[in-house]
Amino acid sequence: MRIRRAALVAAVLTGVVVAPAQAAPSSHIRLDQVGFGNSEPKHAYVLGGAAGTKFSVVDSRGRTVLTGKTGASTGSWSDKYPAVHPIDFSQLKRSGTYRIKVGTATSPAFKVDSLEKLFSPVAHNTVEFFQAQRDGADVIPGRLNRKPAHLTDREALVYETPVFAGEGGDQIAAPLKPTGAEVDLEGGWFDAGDFVKFTHASSYSTASMLLALRNKHDDALYEEAKFGLKWLDKAWDEKTGTLYAQVGIGTGSEEFGFVGDHDVWRLPEADDRLNVKPGDSEYYIKHRPVFRANAAGEKISPNLVGRVAGSFALAAQIESRKNPRVARSYLDKAAQLFALAKTTDVGELVTAFPHAYYPEESWTDDLEFGATQLALAAKALNDKRYTEFARAATHWAKEFLATGDPDTLNVYNISALGHADLAPLLKKGVPGAEVTEKQVVGDIQRQLRKGVDAARTSPFRTAANVETWDVGSRTFGYITTAALYQKLTGDKTYATFGTQQRGFALGTNAWGTSLIVGVGTKFPECPHHQAANLSGSPNGGSKVLVGAVINGPNDASLFGDLGEMPPGSVDCTKPYTLEFNSAKSVFADDLRSWPSSEPAIDFTATGVLGFSLIANS
């Protein structure tokens, strides 16, 4: 299932799945399959072919509306495709449906229209994925005919922090030990293709939705954000000062006689039907353990504090006009939690158990984000703590900048989100501020410049490294950061860069696939997702996991032997991707391919925010 960065050490396989080389392969046109705004730059790429080849753009009636020639190669993709040639058709501005033709190759159909018309539907699609991820009683049946599940989470037992060991840090090293406490954590979202729930990713996702809502109200998005908030409210126990970090355990143990969530392929509602007692191997599948981020009243891992408090404070901002009493309640929750942040001798951050699933190291960015949202909420409610929170935000921004963290927007680093909201406060003036507006805006620029520099050497002008992990996550991070920067400053310097990253996510890649299920002409059909596999349409049809953002291409060494399909699953693999793999990068539209085809709420949440910003730009 979902194993991040450090845990890959234990999962690496040898060998590379690459199609045999062929002489003079056919050329293929790659572009953003959703489309382009009327006035924005427009680029496509030809995988193969030659420079100076004539291209034509034809409308829905087959009439040629634009012609030109392919440009010089932007680089080699693979031995089979040693050249990639750009097509610039920015002159095309009239709304309509079009295709591009180069020799015998024809592109998928795409549209030219307003950004709102093109990308509001995409933003709605990403929200639909969260509806499919709902756990508990309040599910939305949707395309997958979801049913209530894990109602036993209403009376879940709390356990001490589990002990892990092994090379990847993800092997159970001791029996689970109950604390004797019981808690109601029914509801919330499944994290990825499995059924575990994490406060770390859930709070990032909730915050992203609330940021999108602050930009423009949307009923479906509002309901989904409230669903996330309701679960976070359960995870934060104000009375005892306890934050709960996780429901369920992915890793099982043969030595200690139990299986984990990742060991069983089933529909989530099947867990409630189990007849098990303590000591049975599937006991923790039905009666899922809950793990705390802290003991009652003790300091809490600051990364969790920042993003959970930030979510509550964002809710306070949104509710401040309509429901001031509710808004103040959210502000007070956020303030109480923020005061418990552990800021000295922090040690290993709490993200998931095991930590190897989400090996985050950065936390000052989370506190900058949380304090900034507290300040904005206090301002909206005329709360006298505004200056205190705003000053704290500048302090944590200074601390973050001092780390020299080179990362960009993703679930491990949310500095761009904090910077974008702190900059306007600094512009108006914050008494005792420890940073300037120029510094925080400059760091957003630094993140975008890093992407621009990386994209220059990529044949498809993508900034994320397709030979490593979290390609989808980081691509959507760049898309969102570019949109945030333009909204903040009005500067369009990075507009083309943002459009290029959007293109990569929506089809401008070697495989010609969108990284969002149900979006574009070609999209993943075999996501590593239990409910989609068992209730969906593996061979076409509408019963797909619409809106799910997958990880995308990855390190080729992970795909040498995908093994057998999970027991109990429906076989699903699409071989079209093979000929487009390179020696270093592979995308596998295959159920077994969790490094490539597994979706996640944090991936998709960045898409919710990014496409909402684009649609309302």
Side-chain angles (χ1 to χ4, degrees), residues 133-192:
Q133 293 295 102
R134 285 191 179 196
D135 193 22
D138 186 15
V139 300
I140 295 176
R143 300 170 195 261
L144 302 182
N145 193 28
R146 285 293 325 284
K147 292 179 171 59
H150 300 126
L151 302 185
T152 53
D153 288 352
R154 291 171 175 168
E155 300 174 328
L157 294 179
V158 180
Y159 289 74
E160 299 290 356
T161 300
V163 180
F164 294 94
E167 183 179 356
D170 60 350
Q171 298 175 28
I172 297 288
L176 300 187
K177 183 179 178 181
T179 65
E182 186 179 284
V183 66
D184 174 9
L185 283 175
E186 177 262 346
W189 298 303
F190 302 138
D191 178 62

Side-chain angles (χ1 to χ4, degrees), residues 135-136 149-159 176 183 185-191 194-197 231 246-249 261 266 268 271-272 282-291:
D135 193 22
H150 300 126
L151 302 185
T152 53
D153 288 352
R154 291 171 175 168
E155 300 174 328
L157 294 179
V158 180
Y159 289 74
L176 300 187
V183 66
L185 283 175
E186 177 262 346
W189 298 303
F190 302 138
D191 178 62
D194 48 58
F195 306 134
V196 186
K197 299 182 291 197
W231 190 78
Q246 179 173 325
V247 180
I249 187 162
D261 184 272
R266 78 285 188 198
D271 295 352
D272 295 82
E282 292 190 315
Y283 181 76
Y284 295 132
I285 298 295
K286 179 173 183 176
H287 300 283
R288 307 199 303 171
V290 168
F291 303 109

Side-chain angles (χ1 to χ4, degrees), residues 220-242:
L221 179 57
Y222 181 62
E223 291 303 314
E224 209 54 36
K226 286 199 299 183
F227 184 81
L229 277 167
K230 182 179 179 180
W231 190 78
L232 290 180
D233 206 2
K234 290 183 175 184
W236 169 231
D237 185 340
E238 297 171 81
K239 293 181 180 179
T240 64
T242 305

Side-chain angles (χ1 to χ4, degrees), residues 14-96:
T14 59
V16 177
V17 180
V18 181
Q22 299 177 9
S26 301
S27 58
H28 303 270
I29 302 170
R30 305 307 196 202
L31 47 65
D32 185 326
Q33 295 168 12
V34 172
F36 303 84
N38 298 94
S39 61
E40 68 180 358
K42 302 171 183 67
H43 297 91
Y45 294 85
V46 182
L47 186 62
T53 303
K54 180 181 177 180
F55 73 83
S56 60
V57 181
V58 300
D59 65 15
S60 57
R61 296 184 181 182
R63 300 174 299 187
T64 298
V65 298
L66 184 68
T67 61
K69 293 185 178 181
T70 60
S73 176
T74 54
S76 172
W77 169 249
S78 65
D79 289 343
K80 183 173 182 179
Y81 296 101
V84 176
H85 299 280
I87 294 174
D88 186 339
F89 56 107
S90 301
Q91 292 172 273
L92 181 65
K93 299 181 184 296
R94 180 176 294 179
S95 296

Side-chain angles (χ1 to χ4, degrees), residues 28 46 203-204 220 242 269 317 364 380 417 468 475 488 494 617:
H28 303 270
V46 182
S203 55
Y204 173 82
T242 305
E269 60 266 26
Q317 295 167 44
T364 50
L417 302 182
T468 187
T475 296
L488 174 66
Y494 300 101
S617 61

Side-chain angles (χ1 to χ4, degrees), residues 162-511:
V163 180
F164 294 94
E167 183 179 356
D170 60 350
Q171 298 175 28
I172 297 288
L176 300 187
K177 183 179 178 181
T179 65
E182 186 179 284
V183 66
D184 174 9
L185 283 175
E186 177 262 346
W189 298 303
F190 302 138
D191 178 62
D194 48 58
F195 306 134
V196 186
K197 299 182 291 197
F198 300 117
T199 303
H200 176 260
S202 293
S203 55
Y204 173 82
S205 300
T206 302
S208 297
M209 288 185 181
L210 292 166
L211 286 169
L213 270 173
R214 207 178 55 184
N215 194 48
K216 184 178 180 180
H217 181 80
D218 176 277
D219 288 340
L221 179 57
Y222 181 62
E223 291 303 314
E224 209 54 36
K226 286 199 299 183
F227 184 81
L229 277 167
K230 182 179 179 180
W231 190 78
L232 290 180
D233 206 2
K234 290 183 175 184
W236 169 231
D237 185 340
E238 297 171 81
K239 293 181 180 179
T240 64
T242 305
L243 182 65
Y244 296 100
Q246 179 173 325
V247 180
I249 187 162
T251 306
S253 171
E254 184 175 345
E255 179 182 359
F256 299 112
F258 68 89
V259 295
D261 184 272
H262 296 178
D263 300 319
V264 186
W265 197 268
R266 78 285 188 198
L267 287 170
E269 60 266 26
D271 295 352
D272 295 82
R273 296 194 293 267
L274 292 172
N275 182 15
V276 290
K277 61 183 185 301
D280 290 348
S281 65
E282 292 190 315
Y283 181 76
Y284 295 132
I285 298 295
K286 179 173 183 176
H287 300 283
R288 307 199 303 171
V290 168
F291 303 109
R292 303 169 299 184
N294 69 309
E298 292 185 353
K299 294 294 185 179
I300 306 170
S301 191
N303 57 313
L304 289 181
V305 167
R307 55 189 64 193
V308 177
S311 296
F312 290 147
L314 276 162
Q317 295 167 44
I318 291 168
E319 298 293 346
S320 60
R321 292 184 180 179
K322 296 186 299 181
N323 302 297
R325 182 184 61 80
V326 172
R328 185 158 293 282
S329 173
Y330 277 128
L331 174 58
D332 291 341
K333 289 179 194 291
Q336 180 191 0
L337 176 57
F338 196 80
L340 283 176
K342 185 177 185 181
T343 59
T344 59
D345 300 321
V346 172
E348 183 176 271
L349 299 177
V350 176
T351 56
F353 301 108
H355 180 73
Y357 281 7
Y358 281 98
E360 182 178 24
E361 298 177 356
S362 177
W363 55 271
T364 50
D365 56 306
D366 295 286
L367 292 184
E368 176 194 349
F369 176 76
T372 300
Q373 302 313 323
L374 277 161
L376 289 169
K379 185 177 181 181
L381 291 165
N382 295 314
D383 189 287
K384 63 182 181 180
R385 292 172 288 183
Y386 166 74
T387 300
E388 172 194 343
F389 294 142
R391 189 180 293 123
T394 72
H395 171 74
W396 291 115
K398 177 186 176 182
E399 292 295 312
F400 171 77
L401 294 174
T403 66
D405 190 334
D407 207 356
T408 56
L409 178 59
N410 69 103
V411 73
Y412 298 118
N413 187 303
I414 62 173
S415 58
L417 302 182
H419 293 346
D421 274 349
L422 179 57
L425 297 183
L426 289 165
K427 186 174 184 177
K428 292 179 180 178
V430 174
E434 297 183 35
V435 290
T436 65
E437 177 194 8
K438 183 178 179 180
Q439 285 178 298
V440 295
V441 173
D443 195 60
I444 300 175
Q445 291 175 308
R446 185 269 308 167
Q447 296 182 37
L448 290 169
R449 285 196 300 270
K450 178 179 179 179
V452 169
D453 290 344
R456 287 196 185 102
T457 62
S458 166
F460 295 99
R461 297 299 185 248
T462 179
N465 185 353
V466 296
E467 300 171 10
T468 187
W469 189 249
D470 279 355
V471 175
S473 174
R474 293 178 187 282
T475 296
F476 282 90
Y478 281 124
I479 293 167
T480 302
T481 304
L484 281 169
Y485 176 79
Q486 186 168 323
K487 184 174 186 292
L488 174 66
T489 65
D491 180 4
K492 296 185 178 181
T493 298
Y494 300 101
T496 297
F497 169 74
T499 302
Q500 290 170 334
Q501 306 320 299
R502 190 188 77 208
F504 177 80
L506 296 174
T508 312
N509 52 64
W511 301 269

